[in-house]
Amino acid sequence: MTNLQEKITAIFPETSQIPEQFQIQPLHQREYLVGGEMRQWAGATQDVYSPIFVKNGDKFESILIGSYPITDEAEAMEALDAAMRAYDNGRGEWPTMSLIERITCMENFLKKMLEKKTEIVNLLMYEIGKSLADSIKEFDRTIEYIYDTIDCLKDIDRNSSRFKIEQGIIGQIRRSPLGVVLCMGPFNYPLNETFCTLIPAIIMGNTILFKPPKHGTLLHYPLLKAFQECFPKGVVNTIYGRGANVVPPLMQTGKINVLTLIGSSKVANDLKKMHPKLNRLRAVLGLDAKNAGIILKNADVELAVKECILGSLSFNGQRCTAIKIIWVHRSIAKKFLNRFTEELEKLKFGMPWESGVNLTPLPEPNKPTYLAECIADAKANGADVINEGGGTTINSFVYPAVLYPVNEKMKVYSEEQFGPIVPVVPFDDVEEPIQYIINSSHGQQVSIFGTNPDQIAHLIDPLVNQVSRVNINAQCQRGPDTFPFTGRKDSAEGTLSVEDALRAFSIRTVVATKDTDANKKIFNEIVEEHSSHFLSTKYVF
Ligand code: G3H
């Protein structure tokens, strides 16, 4: 065994060595939420194994942290019926409720969610191997997102609380819900990214079918009661089980009004095509990405290394916004790679609860094999693993591999590795990475590292028409959440941000009349009597 293998093996503890506050009791979920009822499930269940292995004698075993129902098509259809009943063609309690009442429901939910913080953070660590610090960050960022969403909605509403008079027409323009939303989130941000679509969809007055991600299901269980207690029955309904069994039948009914999915473009494409009336379906999608870092000849190498380490290896490279390929000018490639590998070696690896840990076990059981294939393929096509021990795999942990020089024959050149592999391509002419981005099927973000304002300006102009965010001397990232987050080509459909998400899950609707005395009298009476929630000049503070 090499020194590194020994060190990696040593990160997996014996059960007794896990600090007491991070010990986990298996959570066997047998309930699911439909039509405001917690239903008991007596059918098949899915065991959930953690990426955290523990040492048992000479062996390592993955910890069984719980199980959840594998519900089927019948339960999915029941959930759909419940969501449709709650929406009731837009006449249900929730879609017609006043905004202030909907906000009050959401604030209650927020309070109950805060009570579950410790439990959810612990489950985040155990289900997806996210470090304690990042799990706390994910929880807190989600709470902040909900507060910001409420504030933003109040702002939107205040701006809609007045009448417009144009060309003899009086109108009031507000946003209305769209109907039944099918919401599916990703495993890498199972709470945050799911809630960044779920919460705006709910608060805009839609009713929801919520399918938690495959890895990251249990952590939603502590919130089911809060969903049940805080919203009218049928507003939030949960779906479990195999996506391939339960989601297609739902889409084929044509009764889903919005599909929101953070996942793969292939799945999104396939699902959309199943809807019999595509014009009735809105899609809000966050999909694949292969963001490039471009390090120019005159770049500040120290800064580029720092940002590229964060960009490519935070949460083991499992971020949709991760830098997944680095283009470096040949003249500084050696210097960059030396410093990059030096900094990589300083990254602490270990169990998620360890303080300062950067690299942790991977939640997808097949990922180590896939990453090994990528490395073997790159080697067969002329690249080396240039950092010592790169790719070393013990149980669910894969030590990052820096591959150089990468070329177009290799999988890692075009495939989204979504893991701890850093492909680096040398270039002589900046036109090479530009052509790469043009020909890529992805178009989320890019990071440019350089010091010459003229050269940077000449790159910004073509690249803003290829991707949706150009980062200068900074890693790619989603935040701040008030900035628009989207992508071109196969990377996204629709835009998310605190405000954009509220727009994505609603439609502008107008109540209008001709500017006559009789009509004005009717409008005035409705407003004075507060007899409509829509036609109203009431301010929400
Ligand atoms: O996986 C995609 C996430 O939305 C990325 O968010 O850039 O803040 O890590 P982040």
Side-chain angles (χ1 to χ4, degrees):
M1 235 194 220
T2 65
N3 199 14
L4 183 67
Q5 281 171 327
E6 274 174 21
K7 282 188 182 159
I8 296 174
T9 308
I11 68 173
F12 295 101
E14 287 175 18
T15 308
S16 60
Q17 292 169 320
I18 300 176
E20 205 186 320
Q21 70 270 39
F22 303 123
Q23 296 272 351
I24 192 159
Q25 292 307 317
L27 181 62
H28 293 291
Q29 174 178 349
R30 292 293 175 270
E31 292 173 315
Y32 61 105
L33 177 63
V34 171
E37 280 173 29
M38 282 292 195
R39 300 265 173 90
Q40 286 298 319
W41 177 248
T45 54
Q46 174 68 53
D47 284 342
V48 180
Y49 286 95
S50 173
I52 296 168
F53 282 62
V54 283
K55 205 169 164 210
N56 189 357
D58 307 342
K59 291 204 181 114
F60 290 94
E61 292 164 354
S62 172
I63 310 176
L64 176 69
I65 54 170
S67 56
Y68 60 82
I70 306 181
T71 58
D72 223 322
E73 189 179 334
E75 290 74 30
M77 289 302 168
E78 231 182 308
L80 175 62
D81 283 348
M84 287 186 61
R85 264 198 313 279
Y87 192 69
D88 191 15
N89 296 304
R91 304 193 308 170
E93 180 186 0
W94 187 244
T96 54
M97 196 180 264
S98 74
L99 190 65
I100 194 66
E101 287 170 305
R102 287 212 295 262
I103 288 175
T104 307
C105 292
M106 191 57 83
E107 285 170 342
N108 280 341
F109 176 77
L110 202 52
K111 273 191 219 126
K112 290 181 193 278
M113 183 171 164
L114 278 164
E115 289 163 15
K116 302 287 180 186
K117 177 169 175 173
T118 311
E119 203 177 338
I120 293 173
V121 164
N122 215 27
L123 282 164
L124 267 168
M125 287 195 293
Y126 273 96
E127 278 194 276
I128 60 161
K130 189 169 273 192
S131 72
L132 174 63
D134 284 348
S135 298
I136 291 175
K137 217 191 284 169
E138 176 162 351
F139 185 92
D140 291 346
R141 181 179 174 181
T142 309
I143 293 290
E144 201 178 316
Y145 191 93
I146 303 177
Y147 278 123
D148 289 350
T149 296
I150 292 173
D151 283 347
C152 183
L153 183 55
K154 288 180 182 173
D155 264 352
I156 292 176
D157 190 68
R158 278 194 288 267
N159 292 333
S160 322
S161 291
R162 39 196 299 268
F163 288 95
K164 290 198 173 198
I165 307 179
E166 296 271 352
Q167 300 172 22
I169 306 282
I170 306 172
Q172 188 169 38
I173 308 163
R174 286 187 185 278
R175 304 200 71 89
S176 304
L178 294 163
V180 175
V181 177
L182 172 58
C183 176
M184 291 182 282
F187 82 81
N188 63 333
Y189 281 86
L191 181 72
N192 182 262
E193 287 233 306
T194 310
F195 275 37
C196 286
T197 56
L198 183 77
I199 297 296
I202 296 176
I203 207 166
M204 287 315 288
N206 302 284
T207 58
I208 313 291
L209 298 178
F210 169 35
K211 181 173 184 308
K214 185 170 164 203
H215 307 292
T217 292
L218 288 176
L219 64 94
H220 292 282
Y221 182 44
L223 295 175
L224 284 201
K225 225 170 168 38
F227 280 125
Q228 183 195 26
E229 289 169 357
C230 298
F231 302 105
K233 62 179 186 193
V235 172
V236 180
N237 307 280
T238 53
I239 293 176
Y240 299 92
R242 314 256 178 267
N245 296 347
V246 294
V247 179
L250 289 171
M251 293 303 289
Q252 283 153 3
T253 61
K255 292 173 181 169
I256 302 293
N257 302 103
V258 188
L259 168 68
T260 181
L261 161 78
I262 312 293
S264 89
S265 60
K266 169 150 186 2
V267 170
N269 262 320
D270 292 347
L271 290 180
K272 277 175 73 175
K273 283 186 230 152
M274 289 173 192
H275 198 289
K277 290 230 176 193
L278 266 180
N279 56 303
R280 292 192 185 192
L281 179 70
R282 184 177 288 192
V284 183
L285 310 170
L287 305 171
D288 330 323
K290 181 85 179 171
N291 294 341
I294 304 176
I295 301 166
L296 302 168
K297 199 175 176 172
N298 51 39
D300 173 341
V301 171
E302 285 308 304
L303 184 143
V305 165
K306 181 173 155 265
E307 292 293 318
C308 286
I309 286 275
L310 276 175
S312 58
L313 291 173
S314 300
F315 190 36
N316 314 299
Q318 302 167 116
R319 292 160 61 228
C320 61
T321 46
I323 293 181
K324 296 192 180 104
I325 189 160
I326 298 175
W327 289 77
V328 59
H329 193 273
R330 200 180 298 275
S331 63
I332 56 160
K334 200 160 172 233
K335 187 172 170 196
F336 172 80
L337 287 168
N338 284 343
R339 286 291 300 118
F340 189 91
T341 49
E342 273 171 20
E343 289 304 309
L344 194 165
E345 276 163 24
K346 292 182 194 164
L347 297 179
K348 180 173 172 182
F349 48 89
M351 289 294 110
W353 50 79
E354 286 175 37
S355 145
V357 74
N358 305 103
L359 303 166
T360 51
L362 307 178
E364 293 173 288
N366 300 332
K367 202 38 125 9
T369 309
Y370 170 72
L371 296 174
E373 278 165 23
C374 288
I375 294 171
D377 166 77
K379 280 180 167 172
N381 284 292
D384 287 319
V385 174
I386 60 150
N387 59 317
E388 207 183 320
T392 302
T393 301
I394 309 277
N395 301 326
S396 50
F397 184 91
V398 179
Y399 190 71
V402 183
L403 298 172
Y404 182 83
V406 161
N407 61 45
E408 70 287 351
K409 292 185 219 125
M410 304 170 189
K411 274 172 186 276
V412 287
Y413 186 83
S414 47
E415 280 181 28
E416 182 183 20
Q417 68 273 31
F418 219 82
I421 290 185
V422 188
V424 184
V425 194
F427 70 89
D428 299 297
D429 183 342
V430 76
E431 188 57 22
E432 294 168 52
I434 294 179
Q435 282 305 321
Y436 172 81
I437 291 168
I438 290 173
N439 294 320
S440 166
S441 36
H442 307 101
Q444 193 196 62
Q445 299 191 14
V446 65
S447 288
I448 302 170
F449 296 92
T451 49
N452 179 335
D454 241 20
Q455 194 185 11
I456 292 175
H458 280 97
L459 282 170
I460 289 176
D461 289 357
L463 289 176
V464 288
N465 296 337
Q466 284 298 324
V467 297
S468 295
R469 174 160 163 166
V470 176
N471 302 279
I472 311 298
N473 291 322
Q475 65 152 327
C476 300
Q477 63 181 55
R478 174 177 179 150
D481 286 328
T482 45
F483 280 22
F485 177 55
T486 182
R488 297 169 181 268
K489 299 189 244 183
D490 292 342
S491 286
E493 184 171 339
T495 302
L496 293 172
S497 74
V498 170
E499 184 179 352
D500 289 302
L502 290 169
R503 300 169 75 97
F505 293 102
S506 59
I507 186 165
R508 294 221 298 169
T509 311
V510 188
V511 175
T513 188
K514 291 199 171 154
D515 186 357
T516 65
D517 287 346
N519 287 334
K520 279 196 277 196
K521 194 163 170 273
I522 293 173
F523 268 34
N524 267 330
E525 201 171 308
I526 293 173
V527 167
E528 277 159 23
E529 298 294 321
H530 304 300
S531 43
S532 163
H533 287 147
F534 187 103
L535 198 72
S536 159
T537 52
K538 244 185 178 173
Y539 281 92
V540 176
F541 293 104

